[in-house]
Amino acid sequence: MRNVFLSSILTFLFISTISGVIEPVHDDKDVVPHEEQMLDVDTIFRALGVPYCMRKCIDPFINSTTSLWTMKNVVNQARKVCSLHAQALTCLKKEQFCDHNKIFSKASSSVEYMCATKHVLFERMETCLNPVVDDVMSECDKECYARSNLTAFSQDSNIKFAATVGGNAFIVADHLGELCTSLQCTLPCVTKRLNNKCALSGWLSLDMLMQPFDAVSVMVEQLSPPLKDLIVKKIDKRCRFAINPSRLNRIRNGDFTAFNMDRQ
Protein backbone atom coordinates (compact mmCIF):
# COMPACT_ATOMS: atom_id res chain seq x y z
CA MET A 1 0.00 0.00 0.00
CA ARG A 2 2.89 2.35 0.74
CA ASN A 3 4.00 1.92 -2.88
CA VAL A 4 0.59 3.12 -4.08
CA PHE A 5 0.76 6.19 -1.84
CA LEU A 6 4.32 6.95 -2.91
CA SER A 7 3.42 6.54 -6.59
CA SER A 8 0.34 8.74 -6.13
CA ILE A 9 2.26 11.55 -4.46
CA LEU A 10 5.18 11.40 -6.88
CA THR A 11 2.60 11.64 -9.66
CA PHE A 12 1.36 14.96 -8.29
CA LEU A 13 4.94 16.20 -8.00
CA PHE A 14 5.94 15.17 -11.51
CA ILE A 15 2.80 16.74 -12.97
CA SER A 16 3.87 19.88 -11.12
CA THR A 17 7.34 19.48 -12.63
CA ILE A 18 5.95 19.40 -16.15
CA SER A 19 3.73 22.36 -15.33
CA GLY A 20 6.85 24.30 -14.45
CA VAL A 21 7.10 24.36 -10.69
CA ILE A 22 10.29 22.49 -9.70
CA GLU A 23 13.55 24.09 -8.58
CA PRO A 24 16.80 22.19 -7.86
CA VAL A 25 17.91 21.48 -4.32
CA HIS A 26 20.04 24.25 -2.81
CA ASP A 27 23.54 23.12 -1.80
CA ASP A 28 23.89 25.70 0.95
CA LYS A 29 20.98 25.22 3.36
CA ASP A 30 21.92 28.43 5.24
CA VAL A 31 21.40 30.63 2.19
CA VAL A 32 17.90 32.08 1.91
CA PRO A 33 16.89 31.83 -1.76
CA HIS A 34 15.07 34.49 -3.70
CA GLU A 35 11.30 34.55 -3.37
CA GLU A 36 10.76 32.58 -6.58
CA GLN A 37 13.30 29.93 -5.50
CA MET A 38 12.02 28.85 -2.10
CA LEU A 39 10.76 25.45 -3.20
CA ASP A 40 12.59 22.75 -1.23
CA VAL A 41 12.52 19.57 -3.32
CA ASP A 42 14.97 17.87 -1.00
CA THR A 43 12.55 18.18 1.93
CA ILE A 44 9.66 16.85 -0.17
CA PHE A 45 11.56 13.78 -1.32
CA ARG A 46 12.90 13.08 2.17
CA ALA A 47 9.35 13.45 3.54
CA LEU A 48 8.28 10.79 1.07
CA GLY A 49 11.11 8.51 2.14
CA VAL A 50 12.51 8.34 -1.39
CA PRO A 51 15.65 6.18 -1.02
CA TYR A 52 19.12 7.49 -1.78
CA CYS A 53 19.62 5.04 -4.65
CA MET A 54 16.58 6.54 -6.39
CA ARG A 55 17.61 10.12 -5.63
CA LYS A 56 21.04 9.41 -7.11
CA CYS A 57 19.38 8.42 -10.37
CA ILE A 58 16.57 10.98 -10.61
CA ASP A 59 18.10 14.18 -9.19
CA PRO A 60 19.83 15.18 -12.47
CA PHE A 61 16.45 14.87 -14.22
CA ILE A 62 14.70 16.90 -11.52
CA ASN A 63 17.41 19.54 -11.66
CA SER A 64 17.06 19.78 -15.44
CA THR A 65 13.69 21.45 -15.00
CA THR A 66 15.17 24.67 -13.62
CA SER A 67 14.08 26.61 -16.70
CA LEU A 68 10.51 25.44 -16.22
CA TRP A 69 10.45 27.13 -12.83
CA THR A 70 10.87 30.50 -14.56
CA MET A 71 8.65 29.34 -17.44
CA LYS A 72 11.09 30.54 -20.05
CA ASN A 73 12.20 28.63 -23.15
CA VAL A 74 10.05 25.64 -22.13
CA VAL A 75 9.78 24.09 -25.60
CA ASN A 76 13.50 24.15 -26.34
CA GLN A 77 14.37 22.73 -22.91
CA ALA A 78 12.11 19.72 -23.46
CA ARG A 79 14.82 17.82 -25.34
CA LYS A 80 17.20 18.09 -22.39
CA VAL A 81 14.46 16.90 -20.05
CA CYS A 82 13.81 13.91 -22.32
CA SER A 83 17.48 12.97 -22.40
CA LEU A 84 17.94 13.15 -18.64
CA HIS A 85 14.71 11.26 -18.04
CA ALA A 86 16.00 8.41 -20.20
CA GLN A 87 19.27 8.46 -18.25
CA ALA A 88 17.34 8.26 -14.97
CA LEU A 89 15.43 5.19 -16.16
CA THR A 90 18.67 3.53 -17.30
CA CYS A 91 20.27 4.26 -13.94
CA LEU A 92 17.32 2.76 -12.03
CA LYS A 93 17.48 -0.40 -14.15
CA LYS A 94 21.04 -0.90 -12.96
CA GLU A 95 19.90 -0.41 -9.36
CA GLN A 96 17.85 -3.61 -9.50
CA PHE A 97 16.49 -3.49 -5.96
CA CYS A 98 15.96 0.26 -5.71
CA ASP A 99 12.71 0.70 -7.64
CA HIS A 100 11.52 -2.79 -8.54
CA ASN A 101 7.91 -1.54 -8.49
CA LYS A 102 8.86 1.07 -11.12
CA ILE A 103 7.36 3.89 -9.09
CA PHE A 104 9.48 6.55 -10.79
CA SER A 105 8.59 5.22 -14.24
CA LYS A 106 4.87 5.32 -13.44
CA ALA A 107 4.98 8.71 -11.74
CA SER A 108 6.94 10.29 -14.61
CA SER A 109 5.13 8.48 -17.42
CA SER A 110 3.99 11.84 -18.85
CA VAL A 111 7.60 12.57 -19.72
CA GLU A 112 8.05 9.15 -21.30
CA TYR A 113 4.81 9.63 -23.24
CA MET A 114 5.93 13.01 -24.53
CA CYS A 115 9.49 11.95 -25.33
CA ALA A 116 8.95 8.50 -26.80
CA THR A 117 5.35 8.27 -27.99
CA LYS A 118 4.18 11.74 -28.96
CA HIS A 119 7.44 13.49 -29.85
CA VAL A 120 6.63 13.58 -33.58
CA LEU A 121 3.35 15.40 -32.95
CA PHE A 122 5.00 17.84 -30.57
CA GLU A 123 7.74 18.53 -33.12
CA ARG A 124 5.11 19.34 -35.74
CA MET A 125 3.56 21.86 -33.34
CA GLU A 126 6.87 23.26 -32.14
CA THR A 127 6.92 26.25 -34.49
CA CYS A 128 3.51 27.33 -33.25
CA LEU A 129 4.11 26.48 -29.59
CA ASN A 130 7.54 28.01 -29.14
CA PRO A 131 6.49 31.69 -29.09
CA VAL A 132 3.33 31.16 -26.99
CA VAL A 133 3.79 28.31 -24.50
CA ASP A 134 5.85 30.26 -21.94
CA ASP A 135 3.18 32.96 -21.69
CA VAL A 136 0.40 30.37 -21.43
CA MET A 137 2.16 28.54 -18.60
CA SER A 138 2.89 31.79 -16.78
CA GLU A 139 -0.68 33.05 -17.14
CA CYS A 140 -2.13 29.77 -15.86
CA ASP A 141 0.26 29.75 -12.92
CA LYS A 142 -0.87 33.25 -11.95
CA GLU A 143 -4.47 32.05 -11.99
CA CYS A 144 -3.90 28.69 -10.32
CA TYR A 145 -1.06 29.35 -7.85
CA ALA A 146 0.73 26.09 -8.66
CA ARG A 147 4.22 27.37 -7.85
CA SER A 148 3.23 29.16 -4.65
CA ASN A 149 1.19 26.18 -3.41
CA LEU A 150 4.03 23.74 -4.05
CA THR A 151 6.47 26.11 -2.35
CA ALA A 152 4.15 26.35 0.67
CA PHE A 153 3.82 22.57 0.69
CA SER A 154 7.59 22.12 0.82
CA GLN A 155 7.86 24.63 3.68
CA ASP A 156 4.98 23.18 5.74
CA SER A 157 6.10 22.18 9.25
CA ASN A 158 4.37 18.80 8.93
CA ILE A 159 6.24 18.00 5.71
CA LYS A 160 9.50 19.08 7.32
CA PHE A 161 8.75 16.80 10.28
CA ALA A 162 8.10 13.85 7.94
CA ALA A 163 11.45 14.58 6.31
CA THR A 164 13.29 14.44 9.62
CA VAL A 165 11.86 11.02 10.59
CA GLY A 166 12.84 9.27 7.38
CA GLY A 167 9.61 9.85 5.48
CA ASN A 168 5.90 9.35 6.06
CA ALA A 169 3.69 9.09 2.98
CA PHE A 170 0.52 9.34 5.08
CA ILE A 171 1.53 12.72 6.50
CA VAL A 172 2.37 13.94 3.01
CA ALA A 173 -0.96 12.62 1.68
CA ASP A 174 -2.81 14.64 4.33
CA HIS A 175 -1.41 17.87 2.88
CA LEU A 176 -1.95 17.42 -0.86
CA GLY A 177 -5.24 19.29 -1.05
CA GLU A 178 -3.97 22.67 -2.21
CA LEU A 179 -1.75 21.03 -4.85
CA CYS A 180 -4.78 19.18 -6.19
CA THR A 181 -6.76 22.42 -6.24
CA SER A 182 -4.00 23.96 -8.35
CA LEU A 183 -4.04 20.98 -10.72
CA GLN A 184 -7.81 21.22 -11.07
CA CYS A 185 -7.29 24.79 -12.22
CA THR A 186 -4.08 24.33 -14.21
CA LEU A 187 -5.09 21.42 -16.46
CA PRO A 188 -8.21 23.12 -17.93
CA CYS A 189 -6.38 26.46 -18.16
CA VAL A 190 -3.43 25.04 -20.10
CA THR A 191 -5.65 22.86 -22.30
CA LYS A 192 -7.98 25.67 -23.35
CA ARG A 193 -5.33 28.33 -23.84
CA LEU A 194 -2.98 26.10 -25.84
CA ASN A 195 -5.88 24.99 -28.04
CA ASN A 196 -6.67 28.64 -28.70
CA LYS A 197 -3.06 29.35 -29.68
CA CYS A 198 -2.16 26.14 -31.53
CA ALA A 199 -4.95 23.84 -32.71
CA LEU A 200 -5.15 20.53 -30.80
CA SER A 201 -1.98 21.21 -28.80
CA GLY A 202 -4.00 21.60 -25.60
CA TRP A 203 -5.65 18.22 -26.01
CA LEU A 204 -2.28 16.63 -26.76
CA SER A 205 -0.81 18.19 -23.62
CA LEU A 206 -3.78 17.08 -21.50
CA ASP A 207 -3.48 13.54 -22.82
CA MET A 208 0.20 13.54 -21.86
CA LEU A 209 -0.41 14.95 -18.37
CA MET A 210 -3.09 12.35 -17.62
CA GLN A 211 -0.78 9.37 -18.20
CA PRO A 212 0.62 8.97 -14.66
CA PHE A 213 -2.80 9.40 -13.09
CA ASP A 214 -4.02 6.51 -15.22
CA ALA A 215 -1.15 4.35 -13.96
CA VAL A 216 -1.93 5.17 -10.33
CA SER A 217 -5.66 4.56 -10.74
CA VAL A 218 -4.94 1.11 -12.20
CA MET A 219 -2.78 0.31 -9.17
CA VAL A 220 -5.56 1.38 -6.81
CA GLU A 221 -8.20 -0.61 -8.71
CA GLN A 222 -6.10 -3.75 -8.29
CA LEU A 223 -5.99 -3.46 -4.49
CA SER A 224 -8.28 -5.38 -2.16
CA PRO A 225 -11.54 -3.52 -1.34
CA PRO A 226 -10.48 -2.69 2.26
CA LEU A 227 -7.17 -1.17 1.12
CA LYS A 228 -8.85 0.70 -1.71
CA ASP A 229 -11.43 2.15 0.69
CA LEU A 230 -8.65 3.21 3.08
CA ILE A 231 -6.80 5.09 0.36
CA VAL A 232 -9.97 6.80 -0.86
CA LYS A 233 -10.71 7.94 2.70
CA LYS A 234 -7.13 8.97 3.41
CA ILE A 235 -6.54 11.09 0.31
CA ASP A 236 -7.96 14.61 0.38
CA LYS A 237 -11.28 14.74 -1.44
CA ARG A 238 -9.82 17.32 -3.82
CA CYS A 239 -7.39 14.62 -5.00
CA ARG A 240 -9.81 11.71 -5.39
CA PHE A 241 -10.24 12.33 -9.10
CA ALA A 242 -6.66 11.06 -9.54
CA ILE A 243 -7.50 7.51 -8.43
CA ASN A 244 -10.88 7.18 -10.16
CA PRO A 245 -10.63 5.78 -13.72
CA SER A 246 -14.08 6.94 -14.84
CA ARG A 247 -13.45 10.50 -13.66
CA LEU A 248 -10.01 10.54 -15.29
CA ASN A 249 -11.57 9.43 -18.57
CA ARG A 250 -14.11 12.26 -18.39
CA ILE A 251 -11.37 14.80 -17.69
CA ARG A 252 -9.28 13.51 -20.59
CA ASN A 253 -12.29 14.07 -22.83
CA GLY A 254 -12.67 17.65 -21.69
CA ASP A 255 -15.32 17.24 -18.98
CA PHE A 256 -13.58 19.20 -16.26
CA THR A 257 -16.62 19.06 -13.99
CA ALA A 258 -15.35 15.59 -13.05
CA PHE A 259 -12.74 17.31 -10.86
CA ASN A 260 -15.40 18.63 -8.50
CA MET A 261 -17.77 15.70 -8.04
CA ASP A 262 -16.89 15.45 -4.33
CA ARG A 263 -18.17 18.98 -3.79
CA GLN A 264 -21.62 18.29 -5.18
Side-chain angles (χ1 to χ4, degrees):
M1 183 173 65
R2 182 182 181 278
N3 290 329
V4 176
F5 266 113
L6 184 55
S7 184
S8 300
I9 297 167
L10 282 175
T11 291
F12 290 117
L13 296 179
F14 281 114
I15 289 294
S16 298
T17 302
I18 297 168
S19 299
V21 293
I22 291 290
E23 174 70 5
V25 177
H26 296 282
D27 293 327
D28 186 352
K29 298 299 181 182
D30 295 323
V31 175
V32 178
H34 296 297
E35 181 178 356
E36 74 275 9
Q37 298 176 329
M38 292 180 67
L39 177 63
D40 189 349
V41 175
D42 184 56
T43 290
I44 294 175
F45 280 176
R46 285 191 293 113
L48 286 168
V50 177
Y52 173 75
C53 61
M54 187 184 294
R55 290 292 304 274
K56 180 180 66 175
C57 290
I58 72 175
D59 275 3
F61 161 70
I62 296 298
N63 292 344
S64 74
T65 61
T66 306
S67 63
L68 299 182
W69 175 257
T70 59
M71 297 182 181
K72 298 183 184 300
N73 203 24
V74 172
V75 173
N76 290 333
Q77 289 296 323
R79 291 184 179 86
K80 180 179 179 181
V81 171
C82 288
S83 175
L84 287 170
H85 182 259
Q87 290 177 30
L89 292 177
T90 300
C91 177
L92 287 173
K93 287 180 181 178
K94 294 178 181 178
E95 298 281 350
Q96 297 182 14
F97 302 104
C98 181
D99 190 21
H100 61 277
N101 290 305
K102 297 184 178 181
I103 291 173
F104 173 76
S105 178
K106 293 172 182 176
S108 62
S109 57
S110 284
V111 180
E112 177 70 17
Y113 192 65
M114 176 186 73
C115 298
T117 305
K118 295 294 184 179
H119 70 281
V120 173
L121 289 176
F122 274 106
E123 286 178 355
R124 290 175 181 172
M125 297 179 178
E126 186 171 352
T127 301
C128 179
L129 285 172
N130 198 38
V132 301
V133 70
D134 294 357
D135 288 341
V136 167
M137 299 301 293
S138 180
E139 290 165 3
C140 288
D141 184 64
K142 289 178 181 177
E143 290 184 13
C144 303
Y145 307 106
R147 292 194 296 178
S148 60
N149 279 339
L150 188 57
T151 296
F153 175 79
S154 73
Q155 298 293 337
D156 186 280
S157 60
N158 295 285
I159 303 305
K160 289 182 177 294
F161 170 76
T164 63
V165 297
N168 188 310
F170 288 99
I171 291 177
V172 176
D174 282 337
H175 295 82
L176 288 174
E178 293 302 322
L179 293 181
C180 294
T181 297
S182 288
L183 283 176
Q184 291 183 24
C185 172
T186 298
L187 293 180
C189 180
V190 169
T191 301
K192 294 172 182 177
R193 294 195 181 201
L194 284 182
N195 278 338
N196 289 337
K197 298 290 185 179
C198 304
L200 302 180
S201 65
W203 295 122
L204 181 60
S205 298
L206 179 64
D207 182 40
M208 175 191 76
L209 293 170
M210 297 301 291
Q211 294 301 310
F213 291 127
D214 289 338
V216 170
S217 68
V218 169
M219 293 173 65
V220 173
E221 287 295 308
Q222 293 174 345
L223 295 174
S224 65
L227 286 179
K228 180 180 176 181
D229 289 343
L230 176 61
I231 289 178
V232 171
K233 291 177 182 178
K234 188 66 177 174
I235 291 181
D236 191 292
K237 65 181 181 180
R238 289 170 288 183
C239 304
R240 289 178 187 164
F241 72 89
I243 58 173
N244 186 305
S246 62
R247 290 173 66 175
L248 291 174
N249 188 56
R250 287 173 58 179
I251 293 167
R252 174 179 267 104
N253 286 291
D255 181 6
F256 298 120
T257 63
F259 280 126
N260 302 311
M261 292 174 64
D262 290 296
R263 300 180 186 177
Q264 297 174 358

